[in-house]
Amino acid sequence: MCQIGDKVIHINGGVFEVSEIKIMNYGFGDVKYICLKPHFVDPINKTLTIYVPFDKKDELIRPIMTRAMALEVIEKIKSIEPIWYNEAKIRKEKFALLLNSHEIDNICIIVKSLYVKQLELEENNKSLNLMDYDYLRKLKKGIEEELAISLNIPIEEVGDLIAKTIS
C-alpha cells in the first residue's frame, strides 16, 4: 500500500495515488511522509497534495478494494438498513465512528442512510442540512471513484449502478 503508484483511499474520501515517499522537516525533526495526489483530477483539486505521516498511514489511508470486494459491496447495499439519529450532533458523532473504522460496509451504511433520508425529505420539498449533504456528497464521490477503479468502469456509470441497487 505504500509503493509509488499505489492507489489508496483517504479517510476523507477519494482515490489518491502515492506520488512519493519522502522525509520532511516542519520544525519538529525529520518525519517520513507519504505524498498523495488525487487520481481523479478536477479544477478544484488539480494541485492538491496530501501528506500522510508514514506512522499514521493505517489510520488515514487504506488500499483500494478488489473487483470481487466491489461486487460484494454492491450486492450488500440492497440489504443495508439505513440508520438515522434525529439530533444532528449525535448523528455526526455516530457517523464519524463509522467513517473512522475504514470499513467500506460502514461507509455504505452512512451513504445509504443519507441517500434514503434525502429522498424522504425531497418528497416534502425539503433537503438535507449542509453537514449531512456534504457527508453524502463526499462519501458518495469516494465510493464512486473506488468502485470505478475496482470494477474498471467509467466513473460516470457508477452513480447509476449504486442508485439502481439502492432503489
Side-chain angles (χ1 to χ4, degrees):
M1 179 171 74
C2 288
Q3 301 294 318
I4 293 173
D6 285 354
K7 292 176 185 71
V8 297
I9 299 296
H10 189 271
I11 193 166
N12 288 328
V15 175
F16 291 82
E17 288 184 30
V18 176
S19 62
E20 62 183 314
I21 299 172
K22 65 182 182 178
I23 308 271
M24 297 188 298
N25 186 330
Y26 289 110
F28 301 103
D30 290 345
V31 177
K32 187 176 184 180
Y33 286 93
I34 302 167
C35 305
L36 304 176
K37 297 274 188 184
H39 179 74
F40 294 96
V41 180
D42 62 40
I44 295 171
N45 70 11
K46 66 182 173 185
T47 60
L48 175 68
T49 300
I50 295 177
Y51 298 94
V52 175
F54 198 84
D55 63 345
K56 301 274 187 189
K57 72 181 185 308
D58 294 336
E59 298 169 36
L60 301 174
I61 59 176
R62 66 173 171 80
I64 297 284
M65 67 178 117
T66 64
R67 178 177 177 78
M69 291 168 65
L71 293 170
E72 186 178 312
V73 164
I74 290 170
E75 189 58 36
K76 282 182 184 178
I77 289 174
K78 294 180 209 176
S79 61
I80 290 173
E81 285 296 322
I83 58 173
W84 195 253
Y85 304 93
N86 287 325
E87 190 175 326
K89 182 179 177 184
I90 292 172
R91 187 169 57 254
K92 181 179 180 181
E93 291 170 1
K94 298 289 187 180
F95 284 179
L97 287 173
L98 291 172
L99 181 62
N100 290 335
S101 74
H102 271 302
E103 295 292 326
I104 190 68
D105 292 349
N106 288 339
I107 294 167
C108 287
I109 289 170
I110 297 169
V111 171
K112 185 167 182 182
S113 299
L114 291 169
Y115 181 79
V116 168
K117 187 65 171 181
Q118 181 180 41
L119 293 177
E120 180 184 304
L121 289 168
E122 285 174 356
E123 288 177 3
N124 298 311
N125 293 322
K126 295 181 180 180
S127 59
L128 291 171
N129 69 37
L130 187 56
M131 177 193 75
D132 291 330
Y133 177 78
D134 282 345
Y135 240 153
L136 177 60
R137 182 185 52 78
K138 177 178 71 171
L139 295 177
K140 184 174 176 270
K141 177 183 176 284
I143 289 173
E144 287 175 350
E145 288 180 0
E146 185 172 10
L147 289 173
I149 299 263
S150 299
L151 298 173
N152 197 27
I153 62 174
I155 195 167
E156 298 80 20
E157 293 178 17
V158 177
D160 291 337
L161 182 63
I162 291 171
K164 277 193 268 185
T165 303
I166 290 175
S167 298

